Amino acid sequence: MLGLMQDWPLTVDRILDHAASRHGGREIVSRSVEGPVVRTTYAELHARAKQVSHGLRELGIARGDRVATLAWNGGRHMEAWYGVMGIGAVCHTLNPRLHPDQLCWIIQNAGDRVILADIGFAPMLLAALASHPTPVERVILLSDEVHRPPEAGRRVLMYEDWIAGRPTSDAAGAPAWGRFGEETACGLCYTSGTTGDPKGVLYSHRSNFLHTLLVLQADVMGLSAADVILPIVPMFHANAWGVAFAAPAVGAKLVMPGQRLDGASVHELLETEGVTFSAAVPTVWQGLLQHLDATGEKLSTLRRVVIGGSACSEVLLRRFWEDYGVEVRHAWGMTETSPVGTMSTPGAETAALPFDQQLPWRVKQGRPPLGIELKLADEDGARLAEDGATAGRLMVRGPTVARGYFARDGEVLDAEGFFDTGDIATLDAHGVVQVTDRAKDVIKSGGEWISSIEIENIVTGHPAVAVAAVVGVAHPKWDERPLLLVQLKPGQVAEPVAMQDYLSGKIAKWWMPDDVVFLDEIPLGATGKVDKKGLRAKFAERYAAAELSQAG
Ligand code: ADP
């Protein structure tokens, strides 16, 4: 017997319809590429997204066609995003931090017909498209004729002029949104390829809609209409972790930071716009804290931040809370999980403890919300104990988890339908995850594993350290030994032995990095995470000449 409830497909156009009709006056504030701060509302965003849909239809874009964006977080990017998705085309968010060759490979793989790009990317994009074969028919630059860059030829359209005068509602003749099944493809996002070739994750309307409800749970992001949200994490990094849907879903004010993500620029927006909630990778927050240390400024409205993408150190959690009264929620996820998988929101027992005693719990990656199933498996796929101590491959299953990659054959699920995250973690009986490492980053020394994340976490607590990275380097006796790479805070000096002394007693002796190298800058990859692949390659020979008897 079927239930007698309405058929109301879970498509994301309904999210913006809802925002426009019930929170139409709520603001979207963008630091524009041209310079000034621009203010718009959900009602205006809806109307302009309709104009985008109309323009795309005129360019022959139909359901299932891929339309790319190459842009920082901003109001126009949101308009383009909903304008594409609303008509059943697929919004492919390109990552501008990638090398042009890789970008063109991705554009080719995705089959993008149109690209909407920030003007700042025009020189790079147009040069890349001119020298690589791609399916791109049109480039639309997200600005107006006044700002047309010299390299943009006649076939390049300027967004404002392209949408001007087009219908802003169905009544006036804009294409109706929705009217397709909820399983229809909606967004395409490539993993950054930190651990191999980029792979396209193809979200459906349903998966994005369900992910929105998932992140809105009080123990996940817990957003509300009263919030002012600054998504620092880019829209091209897994849908700004879902915030680009969740903010309009509740009618929260949105503050879009554009290109400038340094501590001073972020702080200015936090304060001038009264931001209450934000989300970003750890390196961004380190930049903000350094700015606050240098200036003595405060955080007067911020209440909660989500930190994820790579492990959040204890010092970040502690400083945000003790110095600024801001709650950090540590999140784990990946492009393939839409992306939120777990969140470190304490349950009743942990929440009742003093903050100091909560820390060891909060520094873990947290537990899965409703909609995410987890298990641990060994190399052969057999289930491992969920005892909080046994480490194994973290596997995930649910309606917001990928079951395959775009234009790529091959089974990615195990016999039980779980996706292998490529992360090594422990899992306890309450589902609390602690990630030890990426399988590719794990350091194997003398047949045992050393957790780079744990050592990094401790070293980051040293007052002189800005960023720390630990990589495994080939060693003649022990297979691999850890090498500690450190970027000091501006003006700080330290000796390698000071780092080892600081670690001494806090980790097992055989985990101690054999060597410490100070770098002016630890290189970051395209999603703002430490580029461990690059570091491993650079220091591959570091222990080649190590005495067989010395190590360990
Ligand atoms: P990529 O870095 O390949 O583009 P994602 O951005 O999707 O891919 O990153 C997903 C990976 O980032 C996870 O598999 C995990 O290794 C790492 N990660 C994400 N959040 C955390 C976290 N809180 N702690 C440790 N690692 C994390």
Side-chain angles (χ1 to χ4, degrees):
M1 191 189 294
L2 295 178
L4 283 172
M5 306 310 279
Q6 296 184 5
D7 182 20
W8 195 87
L10 305 179
T11 58
V12 302
D13 50 291
R14 294 177 190 267
I15 295 177
L16 194 60
D17 282 349
H18 174 76
S21 80
R22 301 301 175 206
H23 307 276
R26 201 71 168 129
E27 271 185 320
I28 297 113
V29 181
S30 309
R31 189 176 262 152
S32 68
V33 177
E34 294 91 341
V37 165
V38 175
R39 288 169 194 277
T40 174
T41 63
Y42 282 119
E44 285 163 14
L45 197 147
H46 187 271
R48 286 163 58 88
K50 284 279 177 187
Q51 293 180 307
V52 171
S53 296
H54 194 263
L56 290 172
R57 275 281 166 83
E58 212 174 82
L59 292 177
I61 295 299
R63 277 186 199 167
D65 283 343
R66 272 79 65 208
V67 175
T69 61
L70 182 70
W72 299 112
N73 289 1
R76 287 183 183 130
H77 195 176
M78 289 279 282
E79 293 159 14
W81 162 295
Y82 280 100
V84 173
M85 295 179 184
I87 56 170
V90 178
C91 183
H92 173 200
T93 45
L94 288 164
N95 183 344
R97 295 185 182 127
L98 294 176
H99 187 276
D101 291 347
Q102 199 172 28
L103 213 53
C104 287
W105 183 90
I106 290 174
I107 291 168
Q108 178 77 41
N109 189 257
D112 298 326
R113 291 184 58 193
V114 171
I115 301 183
L116 294 113
D118 276 346
I119 38 171
F121 301 129
M124 179 270 283
L125 177 66
L126 296 172
L129 292 178
S131 57
H132 294 75
T134 70
V136 176
E137 298 159 30
R138 282 284 183 181
V139 171
I140 302 166
L141 296 178
L142 294 165
S143 187
D144 51 24
E145 270 303 329
V146 178
H147 293 92
R148 176 183 280 274
E151 52 277 279
R154 265 190 320 111
R155 278 191 60 77
V156 173
L157 301 170
M158 298 307 291
Y159 179 82
E160 289 296 336
D161 306 84
W162 174 63
I163 64 168
R166 294 187 186 276
T168 54
S169 71
D170 303 355
W177 285 349
R179 303 184 180 186
F180 40 74
E182 61 187 28
E183 301 283 2
T184 303
C186 169
L188 180 61
C189 185
Y190 280 69
T191 63
S192 63
T194 355
T195 55
D197 258 355
K199 298 191 274 287
V201 178
L202 189 61
Y203 305 112
S204 65
H205 279 263
R206 175 185 154 84
S207 73
N208 277 337
F209 201 107
L210 290 176
H211 185 263
T212 306
L213 300 180
L214 184 149
V215 299
L216 289 176
Q217 294 179 40
D219 278 357
V220 185
M221 292 191 187
L223 303 174
S224 95
D227 272 314
V228 180
I229 302 178
L230 174 74
I232 301 176
V233 52
M235 289 161 72
F236 55 77
H237 194 187
N239 301 326
W241 296 351
V243 171
F245 297 117
V250 292
K253 173 175 159 182
L254 250 188
V255 183
M256 299 300 243
Q259 180 172 6
R260 283 161 41 201
L261 306 180
D262 60 283
S265 306
V266 167
H267 183 254
E268 188 189 326
L269 276 184
L270 289 172
E271 291 299 306
T272 54
E273 297 302 330
V275 172
T276 59
F277 176 94
S278 184
V281 291
T283 40
V284 168
W285 298 119
Q286 275 146 8
L288 176 69
L289 290 183
Q290 275 174 38
H291 169 79
L292 297 177
D293 286 342
T295 59
E297 288 167 339
K298 294 284 169 225
L299 298 170
S300 54
T301 58
L302 191 64
R303 287 201 317 265
R304 185 184 304 152
V305 297
V306 167
I307 304 187
S310 44
C312 170
S313 67
E314 188 178 311
V315 71
L316 268 185
L317 274 151
R318 183 189 287 281
R319 291 217 51 207
F320 263 113
W321 182 249
E322 290 179 352
D323 298 352
Y324 302 102
V326 174
E327 183 200 6
V328 170
R329 288 197 181 172
H330 184 194
W332 167 87
M334 58 196 316
T335 310
E336 289 89 334
T337 61
S338 295
V340 174
T342 63
M343 190 70 77
S344 72
T345 314
E349 275 175 31
T350 313
L353 298 172
F355 182 74
D356 247 14
Q357 292 171 36
Q358 291 182 22
L359 264 178
W361 196 95
R362 285 181 176 270
V363 85
K364 296 181 183 183
Q365 279 70 13
R367 57 197 161 84
L370 175 66
I372 297 282
E373 283 183 78
L374 299 174
K375 72 170 181 181
L376 275 191
D378 68 13
E379 288 301 320
D380 302 322
R383 275 194 192 242
L384 290 172
E386 298 181 2
D387 56 9
T390 309
R393 299 186 84 88
L394 183 63
M395 312 287 290
V396 60
R397 180 167 77 176
T400 56
V401 180
R403 63 176 159 85
Y405 291 105
F406 183 74
R408 196 181 167 112
D409 292 335
E411 188 51 68
V412 302
L413 306 184
D414 74 2
E416 295 180 325
F418 279 86
F419 174 84
D420 185 345
T421 65
D423 285 328
I424 305 296
T426 62
L427 186 61
D428 73 13
H430 303 289
V432 177
V433 169
Q434 182 155 28
V435 175
T436 320
D437 251 315
R438 270 196 156 183
K440 297 242 160 70
D441 292 338
V442 156
I443 303 166
K444 295 186 195 86
S445 179
E448 301 282 345
W449 285 350
I450 296 174
S451 166
S452 64
I453 292 183
E454 208 168 318
I455 305 177
E456 287 157 6
N457 191 1
I458 297 168
V459 176
T460 319
H462 189 288
V465 173
V467 189
V470 177
V471 293
V473 172
H475 188 283
K477 178 168 181 191
W478 300 102
D479 288 343
E480 279 182 343
R481 288 296 302 157
L483 171 68
L484 171 60
L485 302 150
V486 175
Q487 177 185 328
L488 293 170
K489 288 180 185 161
Q492 296 285 338
V493 281
E495 292 297 321
V497 68
M499 298 294 127
Q500 286 160 329
D501 286 349
Y502 187 74
L503 278 168
S504 175
K506 300 188 178 93
I507 53 169
K509 275 201 183 117
W510 61 278
W511 280 33
M512 184 61 76
D514 298 26
D515 202 359
V516 182
V517 177
F518 293 103
L519 298 176
D520 291 342
E521 206 172 339
I522 299 238
L524 301 181
T527 47
K529 306 178 193 190
V530 170
D531 175 15
K532 289 202 174 172
K533 198 161 120 186
L535 285 173
R536 267 195 301 269
K538 184 163 178 200
F539 292 99
E541 301 297 319
R542 189 79 184 182
Y543 298 148
E547 291 282 325
L548 283 185
S549 57
Q550 253 181 15

